[in-house]
Amino acid sequence: MTAVLELQEETTAAATGWHRVCPVAELEPAWGEAALIAGRQVALFRTASDEVYAVSQEDPATGAHVMARGIIGSRGDRPTIASPLHKEVYDLVTGECFGNAELNLPTFNARIVDGHIEVEL
């Protein structure tokens, strides 16, 4: 698997903003990958329960494009990603930072359709 997944195919319904990125089988559970989607760097994550999440690849605290290398975890029933640089922990659904209310990680809707991950930008 390459560090940056290449966008394989965009959905025909471009007006909706959904982009087909890759087969879900190409993402290992609990491991992030970066994808370039319509010119935007996005970090993709697949959890052990086969849920998929998409967030900005840019670390809100530093501006470095590293979030795909973060550590997957949870706070209660909320899935989280910890930045690999300063270990700030973000909610994968809302982008809320648990340790610093001034930081927010942009999130994107993600879904699995016909075995492929699609992301809405």
Side-chain angles (χ1 to χ4, degrees):
M1 174 79 46
T2 60
V4 177
L5 294 172
E6 292 183 32
L7 180 62
Q8 289 189 339
E9 166 185 349
E10 290 190 17
T11 60
T12 55
T16 66
W18 286 98
H19 302 269
R20 182 166 282 194
V21 182
C22 65
V24 70
E26 287 187 8
L27 286 184
E28 292 182 45
W31 186 259
E33 289 291 344
L36 186 60
I37 305 171
R40 183 165 192 152
Q41 290 189 38
V42 175
L44 300 173
F45 301 96
R46 177 178 158 203
T47 65
S49 61
D50 274 345
E51 293 179 281
V52 293
Y53 298 92
V55 300
S56 174
Q57 173 70 336
E58 184 177 345
D59 182 326
T62 66
H65 289 83
V66 296
M67 292 307 293
R69 294 297 163 242
I71 300 168
I72 296 289
S74 63
R75 292 266 172 111
D77 63 347
R78 305 300 297 179
T80 62
I81 181 70
S83 168
L85 297 178
H86 293 288
K87 308 303 184 238
E88 292 287 357
V89 178
Y90 299 90
D91 186 307
L92 276 172
V93 176
T94 66
E96 170 190 8
C97 180
F98 290 101
N100 184 342
E102 294 179 12
L103 297 176
N104 190 57
L105 180 65
T107 62
F108 308 99
N109 291 325
R111 65 187 182 189
I112 299 173
V113 176
D114 297 328
H116 287 80
I117 295 173
E118 293 185 352
V119 175
E120 182 181 36
L121 297 182

